[in-house]
């Protein structure tokens, strides 16, 4: 049986499928290649990298219960230059469409990381604006329109399409997204983790070494859907990538109907490393069952 057409367009970037991996949940390179053909996915978004190697947070870094996971990995990674020389070739060899991701502790560090990404051969760069802003101790970049605008502008040094990854932990998401688009972002990636915490009651302390962390997994799907829906309503045809709690084909279809042009699969991959392929297969099944010839037809369908 042929079809449906899975081609997804995220601005000027054409992807062979709307299903991608989410940053930080599929490693730095081709770690998932033992579980499926990376070239069948829309893309692999690698873990966020700084311009320098970074150790991350103290252990324990993850805790999970029920339908969610809590993490405070703290953006551990080898840095952009070491990633380019150690991990990137393996992804290319697998035929993966590679999307980079960067972070920094201040605006200058975003510029450094973006510059280090220039010429890497990535199709787009996620700007992880949802990380702590050391110059403003009370906040993360993506909780402020001005700070988000500054990190997006600094990331233009990469000279590739910029997908800005925003935080759901703000009542001002639409205004912050508008500032990011104004500063040069070509797509919105919605959303990063939800701020949270868990308590180890036997030891009477926080479960994670960092204290608090970020909540992900099926429990946050409604939060991500609402963020996508509101930004689609606010920004018309601006490209949106939905991420948060997607673990089935039905979840991906819901995200597309809310207004996403593509979706990323994150925490589901920890439960089953084949999750991105299973989500894609489930999505195809739904499209066939409903005689949808092209996945692009259902983007934004929930807006009537
Ligand atoms: C262990 C872990 C590490 C993550 N690392 C990153 C990261 O490096 N950069 C980033 O932008 N998001 C990171 N995220 C957030 C995910 O990409 C995603 O936005 C979030 O988990 C919600 O999607 P999910 O519910 O499908 O996991 C991480 C999430 C987890 C669970």
């Amino acid at each position: 049986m042929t079809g449906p057409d899975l081609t997804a367009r995220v601005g000027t970037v054409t992807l062979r499928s709307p299903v991608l991996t989410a940053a930080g949940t599929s490693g730095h390179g081709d770690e998932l290649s033992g579980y499926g053909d990376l070239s069948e996915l829309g893309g692999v978004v690698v873990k966020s990298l700084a311009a320098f190697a970074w150790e991350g947070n103290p252990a324990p870094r993850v805790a999970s219960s029920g339908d969610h996971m809590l993490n405070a990995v703290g953006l551990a990674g080898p840095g952009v230059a070491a990633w380019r020389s150690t991990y990137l070739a393996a992804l290319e060899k697998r035929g993966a469409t590679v999307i980079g991701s960067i972070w920094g502790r201040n605006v200058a560090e975003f510029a450094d990381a973006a510059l280090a990404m220039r010429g890497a051969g990535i199709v787009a760069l996620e700007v992880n604006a949802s990380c702590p802003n050391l110059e403003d101790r009370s906040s993360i970049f993506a909780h402020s329109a001005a700070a988000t605008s500054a990190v997006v502008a600094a990331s233009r040094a990469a000279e590739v399409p910029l997908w800005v990854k925003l935080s759901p932990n703000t009542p001002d998401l639409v205004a912050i997204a508008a500032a990011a688009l104004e500063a040069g972002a070509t797509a919105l990636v919605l959303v990063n983790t939800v701020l949270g915490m868990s308590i180890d009651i036997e030891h009477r302390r926080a479960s994670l070494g960092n204290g608090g962390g970020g909540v992900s997994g099926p429990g946050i799907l409604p939060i991500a859907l609402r963020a996508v829906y509101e930004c689609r309503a606010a920004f018309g045809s601006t490209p949106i990538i939905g991420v948060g709690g997607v673990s089935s084909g039905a979840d991906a279809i819901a995200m597309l109907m809310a207004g996403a042009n593509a979706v990323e699969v994150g925490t589901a991959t920890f439960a089953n490393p084949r999750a991105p392929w299973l989500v894609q297969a489930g999505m195809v099944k739904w499209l066939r069952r409903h005689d949808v010839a092209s996945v692009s037809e259902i983007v934004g369908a929930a807006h009537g």
Side-chain angles (χ1 to χ4, degrees):
M1 193 193 289
T2 58
D5 179 4
L6 293 186
T7 310
R9 287 189 184 79
V10 180
T12 55
V13 180
T14 300
L15 303 171
R16 58 179 74 86
S17 149
V19 180
L20 299 86
T21 67
T25 63
S26 58
H28 291 292
D30 70 343
E31 287 91 328
L32 283 188
S33 62
Y35 301 96
D37 182 350
L38 293 176
S39 75
E40 285 175 7
L41 299 176
V44 173
V45 184
V46 297
K47 183 158 180 65
S48 299
L49 295 155
F52 43 85
W54 185 248
E55 270 186 19
N57 283 328
R61 292 171 161 187
V62 292
S64 63
S65 88
D67 66 353
H68 67 267
M69 178 173 170
L70 185 70
N71 96 85
V73 173
L75 298 159
V80 176
W83 172 76
R84 286 180 68 161
S85 60
T86 313
Y87 293 94
L88 183 55
L91 277 167
E92 287 165 346
K93 211 165 134 201
R94 304 280 180 191
T97 298
V98 184
I99 293 94
S101 173
I102 55 166
W103 70 280
R105 294 168 297 184
N106 53 45
V107 174
E109 287 185 0
F110 272 90
D112 291 344
L115 193 60
M117 278 287 184
R118 188 186 288 176
I122 54 178
V123 300
L125 182 64
E126 278 196 4
V127 179
N128 180 7
S130 332
C131 63
N133 176 356
L134 286 203
E135 285 167 354
D136 177 0
R137 292 184 48 181
S138 64
S139 194
I140 65 174
F141 292 97
H143 291 177
S144 148
T148 301
S149 170
V151 296
V152 170
S155 302
R156 291 200 297 236
E159 297 180 348
V160 288
L162 298 178
W163 300 354
V164 64
K165 181 134 175 215
L166 297 179
S167 163
N169 305 292
T170 169
D172 302 322
L173 179 63
V174 169
I176 290 164
L181 295 168
E182 176 89 356
T186 59
L188 304 171
V189 183
L190 307 169
V191 291
N192 212 308
T193 52
V194 178
L195 290 175
M197 176 170 212
S198 77
I199 302 292
D200 174 347
I201 58 170
E202 297 312 320
H203 296 94
R204 303 184 182 206
R205 64 179 186 221
S207 305
L208 299 185
N210 186 56
V215 183
S216 63
I220 75 163
L221 178 65
I223 294 167
L225 283 172
R226 182 165 179 162
V228 169
Y229 190 92
E230 289 191 351
C231 284
R232 173 60 63 210
F235 300 114
S237 61
T238 295
I240 296 175
I241 295 141
V243 50
V246 174
S247 62
S248 68
D251 295 342
I253 296 285
M255 203 65 109
L256 296 170
M257 287 185 173
N261 301 85
V263 302
E264 295 177 2
V265 179
T267 298
T269 307
F270 294 121
N272 183 348
R274 285 194 42 71
W277 292 275
L278 295 175
V279 166
Q280 183 161 295
M283 189 187 71
V284 167
K285 233 171 157 177
W286 190 95
L287 295 170
R288 282 194 179 135
R289 205 166 53 237
H290 292 81
D291 287 325
V292 179
S294 166
V295 74
S296 60
E297 289 172 34
I298 60 160
V299 172
H303 291 259

